[in-house]
Amino acid sequence: MVSGNLFHCRRNSWPAEEYVGRTALQLLDFDGGSPPEQAWRRRLNSHANLLKEFSVTFMEAMRMMSLGLRLWSYVREEASHGRKAPIDPFTKEKCKPSASQGVPLGGMGSGSISRGFRGEFKNWHIIPGLCETSPIFVSRDGGNKKYSSVLSPGHHEGLKKCNDSGISSWDWNLSGQHSTYHALFPRAWTVYDGEPDPDLKISCRQISPFIPHDYKDSSLPASVFVYTLVNTGKDRAKVSLLMTWANSIGGFSHHSGGHFNEPFITAKDNPPVTFAIAACETQNVNVTVLPVFGLSGEGHDSAKQMWDRMKQNGHFDRENFEAGTSMPSSSGETLCAAVSASTWVEPHGRCTVVFGLAWSSPKIKFQKGCTYNRRYTEFYGTSERSAVNLVHDALTKYRIWEEEIEKWQNPILKNEKLPEWYKFTLFNELYFLVAGGTVWTDGQPPVIDEKPSPGSNQQKSSKRGTRDTKQESVKDNHVKLTAEQVTNGGDLANGEEQSVSKYAAVHGPQMAKATNGLGSQEPIPYLLSKNGPENVGKFLYLEGVEYIMWCTYDVHFYASFALLDLFPKIELSIQRDFANAVLYEDRRRMKFLADGTSGIRKVKGAVPHDLGTHDPWHEMNAYNIHDTSKWKDLNPKFVYRDFAATGDMSFGRDVWPAVCAAMDYMNQFDRDGDGLIENDGFPDQTYDAWTVHGISAYCGGLWLAALQAAATMAHRLGDRPFAEKYKLKFIQAKAVYEAKLWNGSYFNYDSGTSSNSRSIQADQLAGQWYAASSGLPPLFDENKIRSALQKIFEFNVMKVKGGRLGAVNGMTPNGKVDETCMQSREIWTGVTYGVAANMLLHGMEHQGFTTAEGIFIAGWSEEGYGYWFQTPEGWTIDGHYRSLIYMRPLAIWAMQWARSPPKAILDAPKVNLMDRIHLSPQMIRAMNEINVRKIAPDNRCFPSSAFRCEC
């Protein structure tokens, strides 16, 4: 639990010397074996407590009962089709999550394997498995001293059921008392300081190719383990390291039979395998293999026999390289393989042993039939047996990877002005871009497998997606798009004609209607990625491992700072996908579970909530709690920031038609013509359990930022009419927003009359954060911005456990947590990072770092709740989590963005572009009419059927 005095921690609170002896650090300080000065650290014998999940209150359960029943029915329906529902709070994993995670393996988008800080492989996002370990065998001259142990304390989880011939028969002699783990993503160090041999210091360095702006190697499914050995004894020591692996393709498939293993030596160009484990053979290191052993030993050596042979000989037979492919496994049998690397280490000598791991899963297939090639196949081909080439390149290039990683990280790590906790937490939160279920394709169209519906006589067929060759143009200040329509490949329901249509967007207050004329049954055209060096493929990442929706946009708004800073071409690719999506309409019907109503899946002009689950890019909006075409935050979040950050005029022109359509779409929510959108009396925003009435600080502020951003973008692209229109709307809306919501010290939650309308929302200045991050002028006077941020700091941060938990979403003016709903009383990790970034942008450095440190203390510190490398969406004030391994905490990179804005923003002219947008006489007359208009009092009625109030 979080202790009361932890908040006032020392500046240098994580020195390596407190975990590893200074002598050991000095001895290991060659070839990168010594852990860095700044890293997240744990002793291997640390207790991995079970994590506590949140629960709703009785009143919350009563309010959500109808939703819960509909959601339960939907989950069962999806299960009947063999699919997992995007949101399923009813199905719990058999293994409860624990505080045991570490740095994951591999690059981005090719499947990942997580590794616990105690050495176990876990949480696979490609191929779950069993029996992956790193044992060590040591014998010294004279033969009177021998040591053998798996390099992980205790028995691996789930192995106790194995019989005595399985890996439970191995020596598990490591206590972990003198062994420590040091994490600085994408690398990690495990230091064994005299375990199991008191006279042997060992460092295992784990390296994965996560390299900013490298769009090739960062896609590779490979990792390297570099062992640094130091013999402090008087006798020469023979050290044999062993890497073992189980042959499995997921779940319990290692029991399904039909698996086979084969040895290889890369120099001989032997046929590659799906998984490859390898070691570098040098003049001092001898590599041998055991291509096959089993947990039971039936037909093969058993795990126990393999272990006994290694204890006796310290290596396998060289003849095993000629063994060829093994016989396929039978049902219920698990095949494993082992690679041994042996070396002699002289007294007071040092040696390095390097292992590599790679996996080849070249195709990703979604449950509704579309199959894509992964990004790395651009460089290694589509053979499932390319893992040998991958592991070979990993073993030969890892030093280059490390040089690039250090070049990226050192300026931050060596900055003495930054808090210690911030330096390594900034990098470690990036774990999500590997472990967050990421998919990175080659950008080419899919092979679409059309499966017949149950009971039909249709035959399965496959076809390639097609390039959409229709071009958008910006001409005479008019956005002109083709209006081609194609129907989707889904079933018809309720006798209604359903289609997917491309949207024709034009300037003006009214949305253009889609043209008539349905074509043949085709899916949404799949647009290829840009040609040339800008083509980095297409990228997906999950909202969270419990909320399985790709690129959830309202959350991506926070998380995308990491991608935009480190992999800007990926961020622009995602933004192009959403720009394309804005201009389409999918008329297939779907049921919204919050109220039981139905509507079309994707409305033209609306930014989709997500890119889908089971058929991304083709079947968007997997989220079905609310009708997100009525959400007020999605469209405003879409505009300008990425254009401002990159200065990419080509990108700006590409997405401009979608920006116009997205902005014009929002006019329907300004029902009284005052320029400001109103919320509709339901949770129509990212806080999808927190109801909003009338004008809201969150959505209204985002709309103000979007108006200013759209006008500025229009000016830069030469679209004068659009620039004038939205500058006028901004001037009009800003006055209304401040008059309705500013109460003298902060902006009210909303303009309604509900009990929480005056609540202090931590995220009330999201619009100002958006504007400042985009290099735009402030939305409000600086004194108002700082006053609101200070109010948030004093109430939402410091009044909750003294600032040791982060910023609670809602706080009442009397200093009590807002208990309106479960989300108002939660602390959201990503929102807290965003609030901290906003504080940094406005010169409130102490408040900003103190606010963010609460997330570190509660989530990452040793005295916290144990959420390292699985940061959840949020937790309650008693530390119970909701939704582990979540996207939004990547917003910590917004803090770094605030400290070091991108070059395009820094180099932009230091003028207010809004001042350069000159209004025409007609616009000036309209503005004069606005200025004399009397603003209605706060308790007015809003002309909205969805909003109910009392006058």
Side-chain angles (χ1 to χ4, degrees):
M1 298 293 289
V2 177
S3 61
N5 60 357
L6 180 63
F7 182 71
H8 304 287
C9 56
R10 291 179 293 112
R11 169 178 162 75
N12 295 308
S13 56
W14 291 73
E17 291 85 351
E18 291 191 5
Y19 291 79
V20 185
R22 186 178 296 274
T23 301
L25 290 173
Q26 292 173 346
L27 290 171
L28 292 169
D29 191 20
F30 83 101
D31 196 29
S34 183
E37 292 182 12
Q38 291 89 15
W40 179 90
R41 313 184 198 278
R42 283 294 177 278
R43 298 190 189 279
L44 264 60
N45 64 346
S46 297
H47 176 62
N49 58 287
L50 295 178
L51 305 180
K52 297 179 180 179
E53 191 171 8
F54 87 107
S55 59
V56 297
T57 66
F58 176 77
M59 291 303 299
E60 290 168 349
M62 291 296 99
R63 287 195 294 266
M64 294 190 292
M65 181 174 293
S66 296
L67 167 61
L69 290 173
R70 295 188 193 102
L71 182 57
W72 179 73
S73 177
Y74 172 68
V75 169
R76 291 188 62 189
E77 179 185 357
E78 286 293 284
S80 70
H81 295 292
R83 299 190 294 263
K84 182 174 175 60
I87 301 174
D88 178 7
F90 309 106
T91 305
K92 302 297 181 183
E93 298 293 334
K94 292 182 179 179
C95 296
K96 292 186 177 181
S98 63
S100 59
Q101 294 290 355
V103 174
L105 306 176
M108 297 189 296
S110 298
S112 68
I113 305 168
S114 293
R115 197 166 183 234
F117 72 84
R118 293 180 295 188
E120 70 274 25
F121 295 87
K122 56 197 300 175
N123 282 17
W124 293 41
H125 288 286
I126 41 163
I127 303 174
L130 183 68
C131 180
E132 297 78 33
T133 57
S134 300
I136 186 170
F137 304 84
V138 183
S139 62
R140 293 191 173 268
D141 276 353
N144 57 341
K145 292 182 180 180
K146 287 191 174 184
Y147 306 90
S148 61
S149 180
V150 176
L151 291 178
S152 179
H155 278 65
H156 190 293
E157 294 178 8
L159 300 182
K160 296 180 181 179
K161 295 182 180 179
C162 296
N163 58 35
D164 289 340
S165 64
I167 64 175
S168 61
S169 65
W170 295 356
D171 298 329
W172 298 79
N173 297 326
L174 200 77
S175 71
Q177 181 179 358
H178 301 291
S179 301
T180 52
Y181 182 81
H182 312 255
L184 186 65
F185 180 89
R187 297 188 292 173
W189 291 253
T190 306
V191 176
Y192 306 90
D193 190 0
E195 288 190 280
D197 183 341
D199 293 327
L200 188 66
K201 312 294 184 184
I202 308 169
S203 170
C204 172
R205 186 164 84 259
Q206 171 189 315
I207 308 155
S208 292
F210 184 97
I211 304 165
H213 307 285
D214 185 332
Y215 297 92
K216 177 185 175 182
D217 286 2
S218 295
S219 73
L220 303 184
S223 286
V224 172
F225 303 88
V226 182
Y227 287 85
T228 302
L229 310 173
V230 179
N231 182 6
T232 62
K234 298 179 181 179
D235 300 317
R236 192 171 64 141
K238 181 181 181 181
V239 180
S240 297
L241 291 159
L242 186 68
M243 188 170 189
T244 64
W245 206 260
N247 191 334
S248 171
I249 57 172
F252 294 98
S253 64
H254 50 284
H255 291 155
S256 63
H259 304 278
F260 58 88
N261 294 358
E262 67 180 33
F264 64 87
I265 300 176
T266 59
K268 294 183 179 180
D269 294 324
N270 285 351
V273 294
T274 300
F275 275 89
I277 55 175
C280 280
E281 186 165 75
T282 67
Q283 183 177 359
N284 299 319
V285 179
N286 180 49
V287 176
T288 56
V289 299
L290 182 63
V292 184
F293 70 92
L295 295 185
S296 62
E298 298 178 5
H300 309 285
D301 283 354
S302 68
K304 184 178 186 303
Q305 290 171 322
M306 183 278 294
W307 187 266
D308 291 343
R309 186 178 307 168
M310 279 297 300
K311 285 180 67 174
Q312 180 178 352
N313 302 325
H315 58 83
F316 301 116
D317 295 333
R318 292 288 297 185
E319 290 77 14
N320 288 345
F321 280 113
E322 309 299 328
T325 304
S326 72
M327 293 293 292
S329 62
S330 57
S331 179
E333 181 183 20
T334 301
L335 292 186
C336 304
V339 173
S340 167
S342 304
T343 184
W344 283 97
V345 186
E346 298 297 326
H348 307 291
R350 302 173 179 181
C351 187
T352 299
V353 177
V354 186
F355 286 88
L357 165 67
W359 54 96
S360 179
S361 178
K363 297 182 183 296
I364 177 70
K365 182 174 182 180
F366 295 98
Q367 285 188 294
K368 288 192 175 179
C370 286
T371 302
Y372 302 84
N373 292 334
R374 295 188 189 267
R375 166 72 175 169
Y376 78 88
T377 63
E378 284 279 292
F379 319 108
Y380 288 86
T382 58
S383 170
E384 295 178 353
R385 300 168 62 83
S386 61
V388 166
N389 294 331
L390 284 161
V391 78
H392 173 271
D393 288 356
L395 291 173
T396 55
K397 294 180 67 175
Y398 77 89
R399 293 181 187 276
I400 299 174
W401 293 348
E402 287 198 287
E403 288 176 5
E404 294 300 316
I405 291 168
E406 290 173 0
K407 189 185 303 181
W408 158 47
Q409 292 183 336
N410 280 344
I412 295 173
L413 296 176
K414 294 180 179 180
N415 188 335
E416 296 183 356
K417 295 181 180 179
L418 296 175
E420 296 295 311
W421 67 265
Y422 171 79
K423 296 178 185 180
F424 53 81
T425 308
L426 178 71
F427 294 113
N428 285 337
E429 287 284 18
L430 291 170
Y431 84 93
F432 187 84
L433 289 176
V434 172
T438 51
V439 170
W440 193 355
T441 78
D442 62 1
Q444 298 302 309
V447 174
I448 303 169
D449 296 328
E450 295 183 337
K451 295 183 179 180
S453 59
S456 71
N457 294 322
Q458 284 182 292
Q459 297 296 314
K460 178 180 176 181
S461 64
S462 298
K463 59 185 175 182
R464 295 292 296 185
T466 58
R467 178 193 289 267
D468 181 4
T469 58
K470 303 294 182 180
Q471 299 294 317
E472 297 94 345
S473 64
V474 180
K475 185 178 181 181
D476 298 329
N477 298 315
H478 179 79
V479 181
K480 187 175 182 180
L481 297 179
T482 59
E484 176 186 0
Q485 290 199 2
V486 291
T487 58
N488 65 65
D491 298 330
L492 298 180
N494 302 322
E496 296 185 21
E497 190 173 46
Q498 303 178 0
S499 71
V500 179
S501 65
K502 193 167 184 178
Y503 168 62
V506 297
H507 277 322
Q510 301 296 324
M511 295 291 292
K513 295 182 179 179
T515 61
N516 295 321
L518 298 175
S520 59
Q521 294 288 325
E522 294 286 344
I524 295 176
Y526 178 87
L527 296 188
L528 297 178
S529 300
K530 272 184 86 70
N531 293 323
E534 300 304 308
N535 180 9
V536 296
K538 289 180 176 287
F539 191 87
L540 298 170
Y541 64 145
L542 292 173
E543 178 179 337
V545 298
E546 297 177 34
Y547 298 157
I548 51 174
M549 295 164 283
W550 299 110
C551 296
T552 300
Y553 200 76
D554 56 304
V555 185
H556 173 72
F557 171 74
Y558 297 81
S560 57
F561 282 92
L563 285 173
L564 189 54
D565 197 3
L566 305 176
F567 297 94
K569 292 181 182 180
I570 289 179
E571 169 60 17
L572 296 190
S573 172
I574 293 173
Q575 196 75 343
R576 283 190 171 94
D577 286 338
F578 276 93
N580 180 51
V582 167
L583 303 175
Y584 285 95
E585 181 172 87
D586 184 342
R587 298 180 188 169
R588 285 174 286 188
R589 307 291 293 182
M590 63 186 297
K591 185 176 182 179
F592 304 115
L593 304 180
D595 57 10
T597 61
S598 296
I600 66 174
R601 176 174 288 277
K602 169 65 180 66
V603 176
K604 57 195 174 187
V607 172
H609 173 274
D610 55 80
L611 293 178
T613 292
H614 301 306
D615 195 7
W617 299 295
H618 298 276
E619 185 180 86
M620 293 170 280
N621 282 335
Y623 177 91
N624 61 351
I625 304 298
H626 299 289
D627 181 356
T628 58
S629 69
K630 298 177 182 177
W631 276 20
K632 309 307 184 296
D633 63 334
L634 290 169
N635 282 36
K637 290 174 176 176
F638 174 69
V639 183
Y640 191 66
R641 186 204 61 184
D642 294 357
F643 173 60
T646 61
D648 188 332
M649 296 299 289
S650 174
F651 167 77
R653 288 188 289 269
D654 288 346
V655 302
W656 181 237
V659 170
C660 295
M663 292 298 294
D664 286 346
Y665 179 86
M666 296 299 292
N667 288 331
Q668 63 184 298
F669 303 119
D670 176 15
R671 297 185 176 85
D672 55 5
D674 63 0
L676 195 60
I677 59 172
E678 291 92 32
N679 292 81
D680 284 326
F682 75 99
D684 48 356
Q685 54 176 343
T686 193
Y687 300 91
D688 57 352
W690 198 356
T691 298
V692 196
H693 297 284
I695 299 169
S696 79
Y698 182 72
C699 296
L702 287 168
W703 176 239
L704 288 182
L707 289 172
Q708 183 173 238
T712 303
M713 188 173 181
H715 174 75
R716 293 182 64 179
L717 293 175
D719 192 336
R720 179 178 174 182
F722 196 96
E724 288 187 4
K725 180 174 71 170
Y726 280 94
K727 177 177 179 177
L728 177 63
K729 278 185 175 290
F730 170 74
I731 295 170
Q732 182 183 9
K734 179 178 182 293
V736 177
Y737 182 93
E738 293 192 81
K740 292 294 183 183
L741 298 177
W742 180 251
N743 62 22
S745 59
Y746 65 94
F747 294 97
N748 291 337
Y749 175 69
D750 64 31
S751 63
T753 58
S754 63
S755 60
N756 71 320
S757 289
R758 286 182 57 84
S759 284
I760 307 163
Q761 184 181 11
D763 218 0
Q764 63 183 269
L765 287 176
Q768 172 55 35
W769 173 42
Y770 169 9
S773 298
S774 303
L776 294 170
L779 301 179
F780 318 108
D781 293 340
E782 186 66 21
N783 62 334
K784 289 184 178 180
I785 296 170
R786 291 177 64 92
S787 172
L789 289 172
Q790 185 64 30
K791 191 76 171 184
I792 293 165
F793 178 72
E794 292 174 357
F795 278 67
N796 301 61
V797 178
M798 298 308 295
K799 287 186 181 294
V800 181
K801 300 285 183 72
R804 297 187 298 276
L805 291 180
V808 68
N809 283 337
M811 181 69 78
T812 63
N814 63 6
K816 303 293 184 183
V817 173
D818 186 341
E819 301 280 354
T820 302
C821 66
M822 69 176 188
Q823 291 178 342
S824 64
R825 60 184 174 88
E826 289 178 328
I827 292 104
W828 283 10
T829 53
V831 168
T832 299
Y833 286 143
V835 170
N838 208 358
M839 292 172 174
L840 295 181
L841 284 165
H842 294 281
M844 303 172 68
E845 186 168 298
H846 167 73
Q847 293 91 328
F849 282 116
T850 300
T851 296
E853 188 177 15
I855 300 301
F856 165 75
I857 292 171
W860 288 83
S861 74
E862 198 157 7
E863 291 80 2
Y865 298 116
Y867 297 130
W868 45 82
F869 299 103
Q870 51 188 332
T871 316
E873 159 75 309
W875 47 68
T876 59
I877 58 174
D878 57 1
H880 291 199
Y881 74 88
R882 182 167 64 82
S883 187
L884 292 172
I885 312 181
Y886 197 76
M887 179 197 293
R888 204 180 322 244
L890 285 170
I892 192 174
W893 278 85
M895 297 178 66
Q896 192 60 22
W897 181 282
R899 296 192 65 263
S900 304
K903 187 175 186 296
I905 290 179
L906 288 174
D907 293 347
K910 301 298 186 267
V911 295
N912 186 344
L913 291 182
M914 292 288 281
D915 293 338
R916 294 188 174 184
I917 302 172
H918 301 293
L919 300 181
S920 64
Q922 295 86 347
M923 288 291 184
I924 293 174
R925 283 196 298 272
M927 186 165 60
N928 289 334
E929 293 175 5
I930 295 168
N931 290 337
V932 300
R933 182 180 299 169
K934 191 171 183 179
I935 297 176
D938 284 352
N939 61 353
R940 67 183 178 87
C941 286
F942 289 84
S944 168
S945 59
F947 173 66
R948 298 182 296 277
C949 67
E950 297 179 2
C951 294

